[in-house]
Amino acid sequence: METNEPLVADEIPVGHAPIVAAITPDGRHVYVTNFGGSSVSVIDTTTRRVITTISVTSGPWGVTVAPDGLRAYVACFGTDSVAVIDTTTRTATVSIPGLNKPLGLTVSPDGSRLYVASQGGNRVDVISTATDTVIASVPVGAGPRNVAVTPDGTEVYVTEEGANAVAVIDTATHSVVDTITGLPIPFGLAVSHDGLLVYVARDGDDSVSAIDLTKNKIIDTVPGFHAPSWPVVTPDDLDVYVVNNGNETVSVLPTPSGAYPDAGPMSGGTPVDIIGEGLGNTTAVLFGCQPAASFTILNDREILAVSPRLATDVKIDATIGQDTTRTVGRFYFLPDSVLTKISPTSGPLSGGGTLTVTGRGLITTTSVRFGTVAVTPSSVLDDKVTVTVPPAEATGPVPVTVVTRSNSYGRSTFTYVGPPGITSVSPSLGSSAGGDPVLIVGTELASTQSVTIGGAAADFGVLSDTRIAAVTPPAATLGPANVTVTTTGGTATAPGAFVYI
């Protein structure tokens, strides 16, 4: 949807050549980098005035604030480093080296990682905030400029100036899983706190686009800016602060009207955030012709409603006062998703194998979760989803959850298995004709897939996680033979553990 009427208000003077802005978790302050002034301006969001200016090293570009609000991080293009600001004293305290012409950066929701767009290396660098060191790098396309992370930490969005696009990175697999095109010279971007929208500053046509993250599609574009370089969203998701590099100001605009999310199961029960104007006197919310299961007026611009049970896609109408009813969005009812099984059901701690989920109503799958780790699928069909298994830190079962746009969840269990070990084989002697029963004792044997003795396959049965009963195959040669056990966690060999006589 395109709109022709600018919604910009309140321009706040900052420093020379401002680029990027970040807002503190409490919403009280906005930090703005001044590239030309080697400084950071701090704006009070109540008074909408600059209250202090912090000096940093050459060419500050990106800025982000830690979830606890105690640190701000600034990408310093001129010195290939990241400056760390103590937000209590409002001074730069640490410099992190090892970047390559860093521009945008963002911090993970748990505060443990920084993601930095190193434009000089066409990569995104990962920094540990515990050690203030670079621990990994992810190759991306040409001209990475700025980055943003989703609230659940599963995806990082990267503006690629050279391709006029936004790339989507899966943080579990460190790979690009989607690309959104049609964005003329995209500079900065910001994800809403509810994880439903991403805002992209378009320097090429002085506008800002809103992208629906459930569909990865542009839903609104607002003109009227001045070489916009960076948006930042307030904690309540109702306002967006946009840095205007062209006239050294910061603009404020409201978020686009609509219903978020715009899809849910036919069984109802989906919380829907309705954004609009003049909603404070709402007396009824209708999904089609049926009343919402419930609704709460949060303020004059926002209502939280719960979808009723329906079986079609409908308009959402709000009755304002006693006489006025208007459409405030659309909502699509989707069939419930069902997970029937996964295959395989176990694998090594290192991950890396392909897991297949089967079921029905899976076509809108957005991620597959292994415990708390979310992975973007490599293939999605209505009855089958494939995904790469992520690594784990400990052995044992984790729930596998399929997340779809219908807000339904199917669950199974995947077991991470450590590498097997063999401690003994008894008896250790037997006939070269084979057919002798033996007991293999060891560790992590429950997922055994094959047993070989002297290189030949042996019939076997798993008795427990520490014991396997096997029958020796005929010998190729007399003498010592290796005993090898292969499980979903790896392979173990006991050299010469059985002797053919």
Side-chain angles (χ1 to χ4, degrees):
M1 176 178 67
E2 298 282 339
T3 179
N4 296 317
E5 295 185 6
L7 298 174
V8 178
D10 293 345
E11 293 186 337
I12 306 165
V14 285
H16 181 47
I19 300 293
V20 176
I23 197 162
T24 55
D26 60 10
R28 295 176 59 187
H29 299 100
V30 173
Y31 284 71
V32 181
T33 56
N34 304 307
F35 186 81
S38 294
S39 64
V40 175
S41 296
V42 182
I43 297 173
D44 185 310
T45 59
T46 301
T47 63
R48 294 187 174 177
R49 295 178 181 273
V50 173
I51 58 173
T52 191
T53 300
I54 304 168
S55 296
V56 293
T57 56
S58 175
W61 187 281
V63 61
T64 189
V65 180
D68 60 10
L70 299 179
R71 280 177 149 198
Y73 301 94
V74 181
C76 297
F77 184 86
T79 54
D80 290 336
S81 65
V82 169
V84 182
I85 292 175
D86 184 321
T87 58
T88 302
T89 63
R90 296 188 181 127
T91 57
T93 59
V94 177
S95 180
I96 304 172
L99 291 308
N100 190 339
K101 304 305 177 190
L103 293 177
L105 78 171
T106 191
V107 63
S108 61
D110 63 4
S112 66
R113 297 288 185 267
L114 279 177
Y115 296 93
V116 187
S118 276
Q119 191 175 64
N122 286 333
R123 68 181 193 243
V124 172
D125 290 319
V126 185
I127 294 175
S128 167
T129 59
T131 61
D132 288 334
T133 57
V134 177
I135 59 173
S137 295
V138 182
V140 293
R145 181 170 290 270
N146 289 302
V147 292
V149 64
T150 53
D152 60 7
T154 61
E155 292 181 329
V156 171
Y157 284 72
V158 186
T159 55
E160 296 179 345
E161 184 182 1
N164 287 334
V166 169
V168 185
I169 294 176
D170 186 310
T171 58
T173 62
H174 285 174
S175 61
V176 176
V177 294
D178 201 357
T179 302
I180 304 163
T181 58
L183 299 161
I185 313 182
F187 267 37
L189 74 172
V191 178
S192 63
H193 298 83
D194 56 17
L196 299 173
L197 297 172
V198 63
Y199 298 91
V200 182
R202 300 161 46 139
D203 181 74
D205 61 1
D206 290 334
S207 67
V208 172
S209 282
I211 296 172
D212 184 334
L213 294 188
T214 62
K215 302 175 182 177
N216 277 348
K217 291 183 179 180
I218 299 172
I219 61 169
D220 196 11
T221 297
V222 179
F225 298 89
H226 308 278
S229 60
W230 192 257
V232 62
V233 187
T234 56
D236 59 11
D237 287 332
L238 293 181
D239 290 307
V240 182
Y241 282 70
V242 181
V243 176
N244 290 302
N245 184 258
N247 67 352
E248 299 185 347
T249 64
V250 173
S251 300
V252 185
L253 74 154
T255 55
S257 299
Y260 309 100
D262 66 352
M266 291 185 290
S267 54
T270 302
V272 180
D273 199 12
I274 300 171
I275 305 296
E277 297 290 338
L279 302 178
N281 293 325
T282 297
T283 57
V285 175
L286 301 177
F287 285 67
C289 60
Q290 187 166 338
S294 64
F295 72 92
T296 303
I297 300 171
L298 301 181
N299 50 60
D300 197 51
R301 293 175 52 196
E302 186 176 15
I303 295 174
L304 184 62
V306 177
S307 66
R309 182 180 180 88
L310 280 179
T312 184
D313 63 280
V314 296
K315 296 184 300 180
I316 300 177
D317 294 333
T319 300
I320 314 300
Q322 300 300 317
D323 302 318
T324 304
T325 298
R326 71 170 183 261
T327 299
V328 292
R330 292 197 70 86
F331 191 82
Y332 301 88
F333 285 87
L334 303 172
D336 288 343
S337 303
V338 177
L339 183 157
T340 55
K341 70 174 183 177
I342 63 172
S343 180
T345 57
S346 63
L349 281 172
S350 59
T354 297
L355 181 138
T356 301
V357 178
T358 55
R360 63 180 184 274
L362 303 178
I363 193 63
T364 61
T365 296
T366 56
S367 66
V368 177
R369 291 182 176 272
F370 291 74
T372 60
V373 178
V375 182
T376 301
S378 53
S379 174
V380 176
L381 300 173
D382 193 61
D383 61 348
K384 183 170 66 175
V385 172
T386 59
V387 66
T388 300
V389 179
E393 295 182 356
T395 60
V398 297
V400 175
T401 305
V402 176
V403 182
T404 72
R405 288 191 62 211
S406 69
N407 286 344
S408 292
Y409 300 83
R411 177 165 290 183
S412 189
T413 300
F414 183 85
T415 302
Y416 282 98
V417 180
I422 299 174
T423 56
S424 66
V425 177
S426 61
S428 58
L429 300 173
S431 168
S432 61
D436 293 320
V438 294
L439 181 66
I440 302 171
V441 178
T443 57
E444 299 285 356
L445 302 179
S447 64
T448 296
Q449 297 173 315
S450 68
V451 175
T452 63
I453 301 176
D459 293 332
F460 72 94
V462 176
L463 302 178
S464 70
D465 195 43
T466 60
R467 299 195 304 165
I468 298 173
V471 178
T472 62
T477 58
L478 296 179
N482 294 344
V483 176
T484 299
V485 174
T486 299
T487 73
T488 56
T491 298
T493 297
F498 187 82
V499 178
Y500 282 106
I501 57 176

